[in-house]
Amino acid sequence: MHKPPGKPAITQISHDTDFLNAEWLASLSHELRNPLATIKGYTTLLMRHHGQLSSEEQYELLQSIASGSEQLSYVINMLQEIAEFEANLVPFRPHPIDASMLVHDVVMEMQRDDQPRAIADRAIQITVSELANEPEKRLILADQGLLRRLLFHLIENAHKFSPDPSPIQITITYFLPAPSNPLPEHLHADKEVLQQPLLELRIQDSGIGIPEEDLERIFERFQRVNLTLIREVNGLGLGLTLCKYIVALHHGLIWAESTLGANSTFHVLLPRHSQY
Ligand code: ADP
């Protein structure tokens, strides 16, 4: 991705640690080594037993090689994206967007059967509170492509971390910074975001939940929590970092609340299009 001519680079992404610290490198090599081992192992098998395997057996091995390659390119693409955000190289092209239409569109796309990460059988309920009859009030100033990435990731997480077939709830509403609607303490420094009219997107699941002490940490790079419960679930611990960067570009806020073993809710605040 290239910086668009004349556009100011983003400035609000701060780096609390060096990009290539030791812990980060250890996690990274682990994530690269696993799919690479799959590819190498099955390729060796295919070569060693060339001519002795049935075409079904060959096909199965090739499928495993393909899935290892896919995993490898997912990791590399994700790393590249994170690096581009951190180098302020991601162009930000905000336009007025109907938040409800965007959410419906993303959900429809995710639930198509032909998607590689299809969540076609999961019920996803979308509620547009108070605003249903006034489309212009659902307008946010957002970069469509980036916001789609954010929604994809949050919905996919809600699906991945909810082993039971419970529905995912998505709510689109005004955010009123009332005492009954407080920000978590770690976001108090960013309170100036609340000076503008805001729309809130809430993505709620009834899944495994997140320990309270980890609710802030999950937005940092390579942080995966609840490890005993999520061992079988694919993931890199970079998706929420990407979400945090996307929200920062929009001058919004993102946070999670959760009851361990019961549910998680991700809140995203985005500026409304100021004309309305
Ligand atoms: P990934 O999903 O690739 O592991 P993320 O950065 O998206 O990485 O999430 C980081 C961690 O936060 C996850 O590994 C998981 O432990 C936790 N997490 C994220 N979303 C949820 C959710 N909806 N329910 C429970 N845990 C979650």
Side-chain angles (χ1 to χ4, degrees):
M1 272 182 243
H2 301 286
K3 213 184 326 178
K7 281 248 168 197
I10 53 173
T11 51
Q12 65 274 57
I13 290 173
S14 63
H15 318 279
D16 39 13
T17 50
D18 289 332
F19 189 56
L20 289 175
N21 67 21
E23 196 186 342
W24 208 87
L25 276 177
S27 313
L28 172 58
S29 36
H30 174 79
E31 293 302 331
L32 293 172
R33 203 174 290 128
N34 277 349
L36 202 56
T38 306
I39 296 169
K40 276 172 79 174
Y42 287 121
T43 311
T44 310
L45 250 174
L46 264 176
M47 291 195 306
R48 192 172 295 153
H49 300 286
H50 179 68
Q52 302 156 7
L53 297 168
S54 68
S55 55
E56 286 79 24
E57 286 168 330
Q58 284 185 36
Y59 186 73
E60 261 178 45
L61 293 178
L62 287 170
Q63 263 186 327
S64 302
I65 293 171
S67 105
S69 315
E70 222 169 77
Q71 173 66 8
L72 208 52
S73 57
Y74 174 75
V75 175
I76 290 165
N77 288 341
M78 202 65 165
L79 287 172
Q80 189 179 347
E81 267 190 279
I82 293 281
E84 282 173 348
F85 270 105
E86 299 200 350
N88 293 343
L89 288 174
V90 177
F92 176 53
R93 301 193 178 95
H95 295 286
I97 291 174
D98 182 324
S100 166
M101 272 173 67
L102 186 74
V103 169
H104 278 90
D105 200 47
V106 169
V107 167
M108 235 165 66
E109 187 176 339
M110 291 185 84
Q111 294 202 302
R112 276 201 341 240
D113 285 338
D114 60 343
Q115 290 296 299
R117 295 151 174 272
I119 55 171
D121 296 331
R122 172 80 62 175
I124 302 182
Q125 293 157 359
I126 304 170
T127 310
V128 185
S129 71
E130 310 135 32
L131 315 161
N133 299 319
E134 296 180 77
E136 69 279 4
K137 297 223 163 137
R138 304 190 298 245
L139 289 182
I140 45 174
L141 208 50
D143 184 305
Q144 170 131 280
L146 293 177
L147 213 54
R148 289 181 80 88
R149 298 273 289 124
L150 169 108
L151 286 167
F152 255 86
H153 195 78
L154 293 179
I155 297 169
E156 186 168 81
N157 272 359
H159 172 64
K160 269 193 335 191
F161 298 114
S162 304
D164 298 333
S166 50
I168 296 169
Q169 313 275 351
I170 304 180
T171 309
I172 303 161
T173 181
Y174 283 158
F175 180 77
L176 301 170
S180 58
N181 210 356
L183 285 184
E185 210 162 291
H186 70 271
L187 292 180
H188 280 191
D190 302 318
K191 260 185 171 164
E192 76 276 10
V193 168
L194 306 185
Q195 304 306 315
Q196 55 193 334
L198 292 161
L199 209 68
E200 178 179 3
L201 304 178
R202 273 199 298 267
I203 292 95
Q204 219 166 345
D205 63 61
S206 310
I208 59 172
I210 302 164
E212 196 182 344
E213 63 274 20
D214 294 323
L215 286 172
E216 193 180 342
R217 187 163 75 86
I218 49 172
F219 292 95
E220 303 304 325
R221 299 186 210 106
F222 285 121
Q223 296 299 325
R224 306 194 77 211
V225 301
N226 242 346
L227 289 178
T228 44
L229 284 176
I230 70 165
R231 200 174 295 132
E232 303 298 317
V233 182
N234 269 343
L236 197 56
L238 286 178
L240 288 178
T241 311
L242 203 71
C243 291
K244 182 177 73 170
Y245 289 164
I246 292 173
V247 172
L249 272 179
H250 286 81
H251 299 284
L253 290 176
I254 183 168
W255 74 94
E257 65 177 322
S258 179
T259 304
L260 191 58
N263 55 56
S264 303
T265 304
F266 283 78
H267 301 257
V268 180
L269 300 188
L270 295 165
R272 279 171 44 207
H273 183 38
S274 56
Q275 235 178 306
Y276 301 100

